[in-house]
Amino acid sequence: MDNIQTPKPAVFYPPTMGQHTLSNNFKLWVVGFIFFMIFSHLFIRIAFPKAQIMSNELILSIVLGLILYLWTQELRDRYCIQGMNEEFVLAQKKLQNAEIDMITSLIKMFESKDPYELGHSSRVAFIAVSIARALNLSMDEQEAIRRSGLLHDLGKLIISDSILLKTEALTEEEWAQIKKHPQNTVNILESLKFLHLEKKIILHHHERFDGTGYPQGLQGGNIPLESRIIAVADTFDAMNSTRIHRKSCSKEFILKELQSGRGRQLDPTLVDHFLRMLDQNPDFWERDKIPEV
């Protein structure tokens, strides 16, 4: 596991603009030709007032025709560029989603080594997004929370299996390695420049509301709201899942722990919201009924 390399983001090359739009050089040549015609006509009329090479009406018609041509082409070019920009944005989003899907696949491979962890990230993402939706957070915030839930344990990929799969109590040195996994995740995702909010959410999802968490010991409202939401979902699924060193906890124990964690480990307002959701949505207790996100 220590040799895992961070996937490199794909590169998108937009279509060649010259295939769809007039070049600036051509437009400059047309404008120059218009000025040349006007200047030449005025020069001839002044230098040779009796000469009648081209009528004013003909010159005006040609000039207006060229200006109309440039104007319509400019509108066409702008419409074309706007369409290309929209395609570029769509392609970038597709590439971003593909990169996230690739990393999520790595997480699923990692979770498959420990059947007790299988599906944990997807469940955390689903529960966290459900909480965010209940709080009426924006779609962008919900998407950032979904991605953060899927990726929040990515940093465990570079922690030794002898620590992750250990059935006995961890030593202080081993706990220190476990506590590095949020920062490990941020380091792995560093090459993905578009995950700014997600990196911040993941970095702080193990902070505690009373300030005794890690990695920075943030307290209360100084912890990003999205991180506090992930913390509630992560804590619930951890207790509701069988782990290598214990069986899943009872509903009574989980509800009691969530209540006792209010204001200490977890945001009390978010706990209250989630407890109401658990009461209204019993499927949250059924791990197999929580869909992939």
Side-chain angles (χ1 to χ4, degrees), residues 120-132 145 148-149 152 205-206 225-241 243 254 258 265-267 270-271 274 277-278 284 290:
H120 169 68
S121 296
S122 294
R123 291 192 299 273
V124 169
F126 178 81
I127 293 171
V129 169
S130 299
I131 297 172
I145 289 172
S148 300
H152 76 283
H205 78 277
H206 275 297
L225 173 61
E226 298 88 349
S227 300
R228 286 177 268 152
I229 291 174
I230 294 290
V232 172
D234 191 25
T235 300
F236 169 75
D237 190 70
M239 291 189 292
N240 195 43
S241 303
R243 293 297 171 86
I254 293 174
L258 288 173
Q265 177 185 356
L266 305 172
D267 183 322
L270 294 180
V271 170
F274 185 57
M277 292 173 62
L278 283 176
F284 282 142
I290 294 180

Side-chain angles (χ1 to χ4, degrees), residues 16-61:
T16 304
M17 291 181 55
Q19 297 174 354
H20 306 279
T21 63
L22 292 179
S23 69
N24 288 332
N25 287 337
F26 179 78
K27 293 176 183 178
L28 289 174
W29 274 106
V30 173
V31 172
F33 180 70
I34 292 173
F35 277 104
F36 174 76
M37 287 189 63
I38 296 174
F39 177 80
S40 298
H41 182 68
L42 291 176
F43 175 79
I44 291 173
R45 293 300 300 269
I46 294 173
F48 309 99
K50 295 182 178 181
Q52 184 68 24
I53 299 177
M54 297 180 69
S55 66
N56 293 337
E57 291 78 7
L58 179 58
I59 289 293
L60 181 61
S61 298

Side-chain angles (χ1 to χ4, degrees), residues 177-195:
Q177 291 299 312
I178 292 291
K179 289 181 178 180
K180 290 180 180 179
H181 81 270
Q183 185 62 59
N184 290 344
T185 302
V186 173
N187 294 341
I188 293 173
L189 296 176
E190 195 59 39
S191 63
L192 303 182
K193 303 303 181 182
F194 60 94
L195 292 175

Side-chain angles (χ1 to χ4, degrees), residues 15-251:
T16 304
M17 291 181 55
Q19 297 174 354
H20 306 279
T21 63
L22 292 179
S23 69
N24 288 332
N25 287 337
F26 179 78
K27 293 176 183 178
L28 289 174
W29 274 106
V30 173
V31 172
F33 180 70
I34 292 173
F35 277 104
F36 174 76
M37 287 189 63
I38 296 174
F39 177 80
S40 298
H41 182 68
L42 291 176
F43 175 79
I44 291 173
R45 293 300 300 269
I46 294 173
F48 309 99
K50 295 182 178 181
Q52 184 68 24
I53 299 177
M54 297 180 69
S55 66
N56 293 337
E57 291 78 7
L58 179 58
I59 289 293
L60 181 61
S61 298
I62 295 174
V63 169
L64 289 178
L66 290 173
I67 292 175
L68 179 62
Y69 171 74
L70 286 179
W71 180 70
T72 55
Q73 288 299 316
E74 185 67 22
L75 289 179
R76 175 181 173 275
D77 292 350
R78 288 193 178 189
Y79 177 78
C80 180
I81 292 172
Q82 181 180 355
M84 291 170 60
N85 287 337
E86 292 173 355
E87 292 178 3
F88 179 84
V89 171
L90 180 61
Q92 287 291 83
K93 288 183 178 180
K94 288 182 178 179
L95 285 174
Q96 291 173 4
N97 290 333
E99 289 172 335
I100 292 173
D101 289 343
M102 179 177 60
I103 297 173
T104 302
S105 297
L106 288 176
I107 294 174
K108 290 180 179 179
M109 291 175 59
F110 160 72
E111 290 179 346
S112 67
K113 296 192 308 175
D114 180 359
Y116 303 116
E117 286 278 355
L118 190 61
H120 169 68
S121 296
S122 294
R123 291 192 299 273
V124 169
F126 178 81
I127 293 171
V129 169
S130 299
I131 297 172
R133 189 177 298 118
L135 295 173
N136 295 318
L137 297 189
S138 69
M139 294 302 296
D140 288 342
E141 290 170 317
Q142 291 181 37
E143 177 62 14
I145 289 172
R146 183 189 74 86
R147 290 176 169 179
S148 300
L150 290 173
L151 304 175
H152 76 283
D153 275 344
L154 178 62
K156 290 182 179 179
L157 283 168
I158 57 177
I159 296 177
S160 171
D161 290 346
S162 63
I163 297 177
L164 295 175
L165 302 179
K166 187 176 181 179
T167 56
E168 300 85 11
L170 298 178
T171 65
E172 289 186 10
E173 292 78 9
E174 290 168 337
W175 264 116
Q177 291 299 312
I178 292 291
K179 289 181 178 180
K180 290 180 180 179
H181 81 270
Q183 185 62 59
N184 290 344
T185 302
V186 173
N187 294 341
I188 293 173
L189 296 176
E190 195 59 39
S191 63
L192 303 182
K193 303 303 181 182
F194 60 94
L195 292 175
H196 301 294
L197 179 55
E198 288 84 350
K199 294 171 191 173
K200 183 178 180 181
I201 295 171
I202 293 170
L203 180 63
H204 298 297
H205 78 277
H206 275 297
E207 306 284 1
R208 293 173 60 98
F209 202 74
D210 61 5
T212 61
Y214 60 88
Q216 296 179 0
L218 300 184
Q219 183 177 10
N222 291 325
I223 306 171
L225 173 61
E226 298 88 349
S227 300
R228 286 177 268 152
I229 291 174
I230 294 290
V232 172
D234 191 25
T235 300
F236 169 75
D237 190 70
M239 291 189 292
N240 195 43
S241 303
T242 298
R243 293 297 171 86
I244 194 168
H245 57 281
R246 62 158 173 81
K247 294 183 178 180
S248 61
C249 304
S250 66
K251 290 185 179 180

